[in-house]
Amino acid sequence: MKAIGIDQAFISKLVETFYGRVLQHPELGPVFDARLSGRWPEHMEKMKSFWSSVAFRSGAYGGKPVQAHLGVANMVPELFPKWLALFSETLDDVAPTQEAKDWFMATAERIAKSLTLSLFYNPALDDPAKKPD
Ligand code: HEM
């Protein structure tokens, strides 16, 4: 991780920059702020320990991401591509190396897919090719 420029200082900068932009985003901003109003500092600390745990396998984060998203009002699957696009733009501006960007994007895409399945999976909308007639 160090070799590709990912350290604690970079994670802090990424989290601060990304959630600053989330708040400015016309669709993501209101969804986050409705839930986190008055609790933003705690959310930022949680997200820093979350990314540290994933990057350094440090065990700093002990939360439950699926449960945390369950009661978020106005959460719709279409928000995930927007979240990922904003994360990608942020990394273009702040990532120290292309490898660092690639690592964060691959990880975020995997988690976004897994959260989308946990929150919204509906057999009726699954691949029609797999359905019996
Ligand atoms: C449209 C996409 C997303 C929305 C609207 C969203 C919204 C939120 C909100 C409102 C919270 C605060 C919950 C609370 O404390 O009450 C939260 C927490 C969190 N989110 Fe997301 N999120 C999204 C995508 C993601 C993705 C892609 C990741 C991972 C890469 C992620 C990781 C987390 C984590 C780790 C927490 C902290 C959970 C805890 O409380 O332990 N989220 N999210």
Side-chain angles (χ1 to χ4, degrees), residues 99-113:
E99 288 87 347
K101 179 185 177 182
D102 293 346
W103 183 83
F104 274 97
M105 282 313 297
T107 308
E109 277 165 12
R110 204 167 61 240
I111 298 168
K113 199 169 179 181

Side-chain angles (χ1 to χ4, degrees), residues 75-131:
M75 180 74 141
V76 289
E78 293 73 29
L79 286 176
F80 278 91
K82 293 174 185 168
W83 188 106
L84 289 167
L86 190 62
F87 198 55
S88 172
E89 282 168 30
T90 307
L91 285 162
D92 283 338
D93 293 338
V94 303
T97 61
Q98 183 63 42
E99 288 87 347
K101 179 185 177 182
D102 293 346
W103 183 83
F104 274 97
M105 282 313 297
T107 308
E109 277 165 12
R110 204 167 61 240
I111 298 168
K113 199 169 179 181
S114 151
L115 281 175
T116 306
L117 280 173
S118 326
L119 298 171
F120 304 110
Y121 180 74
N122 176 351
L125 301 177
D126 213 338
D127 186 359
K130 290 184 191 151
K131 276 192 198 159

